[in-house]
Each structure stands twice: as structure tokens, then as C-alpha cells.
Amino acid sequence: MSTHPTTPSQTVGPYLHIGLPWPDGPFAVARDTPGAVWLRGTVHDGAGAPVTDALIETWQADPEGRFDHPDDPRGAKNLPGFRGFGRCPTDDTGSYAILTLKPGPVPGPTGDQAPHVDVSVFARGMLHRVVTRLYFPEEESANAQDPVLNAIEDPRARATLIAHREDDGYRLDIHLQGEDETVFFDI
Amino acid sequence: MSDTSHEGLHVPGYVRDHDTHPPLDYPLYKSTSLRHPQRPLTLLPHMLTEITSPVLGEDRVVGDDHDLTRQHDGEAQGQRIIVHGQVRDSDGRPVPHTLVEIWQANAGGRYRHAADNWPAPLDPHFTGVGRVITDDQGRYRFVTIRPGAYPWKNHQNAWRPAHIHFSLFGRAFTQRLVTQMYFPDDPLFFQDPMWQSVPDEKASERMLARFDYDTTEPEWALSYRWDIVLRGREQTPFESEEEVLEDDE
Ligand SMILES: [Fe+2]
């Protein structure tokens, strides 16, 4: 019974930087939080060029797989100092970096989902955001059971969602188009 | 609302509203050419991560964030306007306590941004950035300057119609929306690929504010009303009848 049609999306345009970035945007947790990891990556266009005017947003559960949100039927759970949400514009190399805590597994309709981060990409030249997910490379068995990953048949496409381990966190490069195109979701 | 049997946890998702939105591949907007996925999108069923989102409170908003004409020592140049409205979901329910962010050009059509260097004057008293949290009825209100149209290089003699960029969170990851508000009777729509990219004319009209004489403030500011509709919940057999507020227009 959807009576009111929704408002259309439009691009963030080239001047998103005056309106969207927050000084604390990249910090889903404070800098000195024990166990904090950097999620980094570079956004590429279909010619392989870095996309230097994109905005990355991340949303995820806390390390116990909980959300500070009333619609979680298990109840809202606040982990002090953890926002769960990160926001970072890409720099002149097309790169983003968000400091956060690794999420725990999150219940899904057929059992647990592997730890994951929902990622939105906004940019000039995109009339609508695109959405992908970041998964963790050391979670091999959880990833093998994950309903979202398992719905992607092509192993090469599935691999575009698995981050790579780095010294102080993880890397997920995002390819908007082309040979290495990231899997994007109809959200 | 939910079913927590041992098999897993089901939560009602949000309606999918593809018909409303522009395509990612839209050749008339040239920058889309290398920035749109060529493979079909993969369906993501809505689970806990998708039906939740950050709860952002008043700490994201400071002082004169709602009044873009008073963020500096002097008053901003141009036509002072009020832009207000209600954020609802597609079931007509208000979306209360959600962050609304805006950014815009000044009266001359220029952004306070290093990459905007077309020869229109900058206004030292206008930044062009605002933030508010909707009230318990989902209402928001800004005081600002009517933005000017500005040229861009997409096609020969290309001009963007006057617009204000809006960013909304709603209460779920699925409700996140970035869009633009336009003004009625703008003569530039016919050549604007952003406006034209919305496939259905009725849908593009939902990006249009209307002049609102009733809330115009005498001897102070003209007023425009723009209501924003985010995706609503999918109905489930478990859901009891909830109070649905009627459209107040
Ligand atoms: Fe703009």
C-alpha cells in the first residue's frame, strides 16, 4: 500500500565537498580505539582512472553484530564511541580511508551473514549512488556460508567484494565499470 | 515485526522504487559514460544492515546551520527565501529526527568551491551549506538565498537550472537519498540532462518546490515548500494496522 511515490535521486555533482564531508566523517571510531582498522581503497572509472570526486559512505554492525537502531528486533545496542557510519570523500588519487571496528556476524533469514560493511559510492557522473559490500578475507568459512556472496555465481565477481589485508586494516578497491567491475547491488 | 525462529531472522524490507530514479547510464549527461556499471545489479535482500542506519542527532547541527544567510558577520547577498517541507515515507508516515543536509550556489550561481571558477562573484557572506534535523513530524526549514543558474561544459551553451542539493538519511540504509530541489517555472529544464534523466515526467515534478505564499514572511522572505518522499516499509502479514497520517496538502 504504497500511496506516495518517492522523490527521484540526482547526482551529488562536482561540488559535493562543500556540503557532505564531515571533519570526523572518516572516523566511525575515535583514532585511539583499541582494535580499530582502516578500510581503504581507490575508486576507478571504466578507463581505470581514479575517481577524485566521489564520496564513500560505510554502514555496519559493531563487533558483536549489533546495531544502535530501534528497528533491530534484538533491540538497539549502543557501543560507546562507535558510530557504525563512516563518510570520506576520495582524494586526488581517488582514495578513501575510514577508521572503524571490524563488525561481527549479523543474523540473516537463513542463519548468520559473514561480517560485512555496506558501502555506498556517490560521485559526479552518477545520477544515483551505487551500493556494494565489503567482506573480510580471513573469514573464509563464514564467507562460504554467506547468502549474499553465495548468490553471486561467478567467483571472479564474488572476489570483488573481498577486501585484502593490509598492515593497519583492509583494502577494497572499487571499479565502477570495466573488466574488474565491482559487484553492485540492487538495493 | 520479526520472526526470530532458529532458522534465522526475518525483517520486513523496504519497497523498491526503480521507476522513480534516473538510470546510471545516461549518455546526455556525459560524465556517466565511464562511471556506470555495465553488468546488471545483483538483488540484495534487505536484512539488518539494510534496514538500519546511523542515528544522527542534534550534535551534527550547530548554531546557524539552518540559516544560510547568517553564517557570517554580514548578510548574504540575493533574494532571501525560506525552503521548508516535510519528509515522509511512501506510506505517508513522517520521518522524524533525521538529518537533512543541503549545499548550493550563491545568488550569482557560484559555489564556494575551489573547482568552481566561472566568472561570477563570490559572496564573502555566503558559504552555501546548511544542516537540520527534522522535527517529530518530519518537518524541516531552512532560510537561504535563492541560488542562481550556472553554466557547465556538458554540451554547447549548457546551464544548470537553479537548484539546491539535498542529502537525506531517513531511518534505514535503503532510504538514503541525495537529490536536488528545483524551482517552479525555470526556463532551463528543457536542456538540462539532470532534470531530463528522470524517466517519468511526473517523477521529475516531484523534484520541484512550489511557491508557498502562506508561509512567506511579510517584508522578510519568500517561501517555497518542498516535501520529500523516501521509500516505505514493505507490508508483511505480521504487521498490524498502524496509524497512517494523511497527506496534508
Ligand atoms: Fe549544483
Side-chain angles (χ1 to χ4, degrees):
Chain A
M1 191 207 63
S2 183
T3 50
H4 301 258
T6 51
T7 306
S9 169
Q10 294 272 273
T11 182
V12 292
Y15 307 124
L16 68 120
H17 309 96
I18 72 167
L20 290 178
W22 302 337
D24 63 348
F27 298 94
V29 283
R31 211 176 253 284
D32 299 324
T33 307
V37 290
W38 283 101
L39 308 181
R40 301 181 205 274
T42 304
V43 183
H44 299 276
D45 71 12
V51 177
T52 59
D53 47 11
L55 181 85
I56 298 293
E57 288 184 351
T58 58
W59 172 242
Q60 59 167 98
D62 75 9
E64 293 182 345
R66 300 293 294 265
F67 295 93
D68 182 13
H69 194 283
D71 291 347
D72 184 333
R74 302 167 298 171
K77 186 163 178 228
N78 175 258
L79 178 64
F82 178 72
R83 192 174 58 209
F85 175 74
R87 176 186 261 187
C88 185
T90 55
D91 63 15
D92 55 12
T93 67
S95 301
Y96 67 92
I98 286 165
L99 188 71
T100 189
L101 295 171
K102 184 182 163 185
V106 172
T110 55
D112 277 356
Q113 303 173 71
H116 63 271
V117 176
D118 276 11
V119 179
S120 300
V121 185
F122 301 86
R124 175 179 68 82
M126 297 176 68
L127 288 159
H128 200 286
R129 69 168 165 170
V130 288
V131 170
T132 187
R133 272 187 172 193
L134 179 155
Y135 285 87
F136 295 85
E138 67 278 13
E139 297 285 344
E140 281 159 347
S141 60
N143 289 347
Q145 305 284 318
D146 184 81
V148 175
L149 286 175
N150 282 334
I152 304 166
E153 281 170 24
D154 174 5
R156 213 176 132 184
R158 200 183 308 142
T160 66
L161 305 185
I162 316 287
H164 297 276
R165 184 78 209 179
E166 291 192 326
D167 285 350
D168 58 355
Y170 299 88
R171 163 167 290 271
L172 187 77
D173 292 333
I174 295 170
H175 295 266
L176 296 178
Q177 191 186 83
E179 191 77 342
D180 302 319
E181 189 172 300
T182 299
V183 169
F184 296 109
F185 293 107
D186 171 347
I187 173 92
Chain B
M1 282 291 280
S2 65
D3 169 13
T4 51
S5 68
H6 67 279
E7 287 162 358
L9 192 150
H10 293 265
V11 288
Y14 279 75
V15 295
R16 294 180 190 260
D17 62 345
H18 306 108
D19 296 352
T20 286
H21 299 292
L24 284 159
D25 179 13
Y26 190 68
L28 290 176
Y29 176 21
K30 298 216 169 104
S31 306
T32 64
S33 67
L34 290 171
R35 295 184 171 196
H36 70 272
Q38 288 168 323
R39 299 196 187 124
L41 302 182
T42 300
L43 187 82
L44 183 65
H46 299 157
M47 295 178 276
L48 282 174
T49 317
E50 290 72 43
I51 64 142
T52 54
S53 74
V55 177
L56 300 165
E58 293 289 346
D59 59 320
R60 298 258 52 119
V61 175
V62 291
D64 284 327
D65 274 2
H66 73 285
D67 188 341
L68 289 74
T69 68
R70 290 174 185 272
Q71 294 171 348
H72 296 268
D73 289 342
E75 263 216 272
Q77 299 279 336
Q79 175 79 64
R80 193 185 299 115
I81 60 171
I82 294 158
V83 174
H84 74 111
Q86 190 184 30
V87 184
R88 288 174 299 200
D89 70 18
S90 48
D91 291 318
R93 294 185 183 91
V95 184
H97 313 302
T98 192
L99 180 65
V100 182
E101 299 171 289
I102 65 170
W103 70 103
Q104 63 166 93
N106 69 19
R110 180 139 174 217
Y111 286 87
R112 182 174 288 279
H113 187 290
D116 187 0
N117 48 22
W118 84 282
L122 276 171
D123 178 352
H125 301 311
F126 190 71
T127 305
V129 179
R131 293 195 164 98
V132 296
I133 301 277
T134 59
D135 70 9
D136 55 11
Q137 287 301 308
R139 288 180 295 235
Y140 72 90
R141 180 177 182 275
F142 291 102
V143 180
T144 186
I145 294 296
R146 186 177 169 127
Y150 60 86
W152 60 314
K153 295 186 164 58
N154 186 71
H155 54 279
Q156 171 62 24
N157 201 13
W159 293 81
R160 293 298 331 281
H163 61 274
I164 299 177
H165 295 265
F166 270 71
S167 160
L168 294 105
F169 282 86
R171 62 181 286 135
F173 183 79
T174 53
Q175 286 188 321
R176 183 88 179 89
L177 179 71
V178 175
T179 184
Q180 300 179 24
M181 184 205 93
Y182 297 88
F183 292 86
D185 305 320
D186 197 304
L188 293 167
F189 293 142
F190 78 95
Q191 57 79 64
D192 183 49
M194 309 292 192
W195 174 267
Q196 302 285 343
S197 69
V198 174
D200 169 20
E201 201 177 319
K202 282 212 174 83
S204 30
E205 282 169 10
R206 297 198 290 273
M207 302 188 292
L208 211 49
R210 65 176 169 81
F211 175 63
D212 186 12
Y213 188 58
D214 290 346
T215 55
T216 284
E217 294 193 7
E219 297 177 54
W220 184 249
L222 296 174
S223 182
Y224 290 87
R225 175 162 181 160
W226 190 48
D227 294 337
I228 302 163
V229 182
L230 307 177
R231 299 158 68 178
R233 282 316 260 276
E234 271 171 347
Q235 301 296 305
T236 70
F238 310 112
E239 197 165 9
S240 59
E241 275 302 307
E242 284 182 57
E243 186 186 346
V244 175
L245 282 138
E246 288 303 311
D247 191 336
D248 63 356
E249 293 207 12

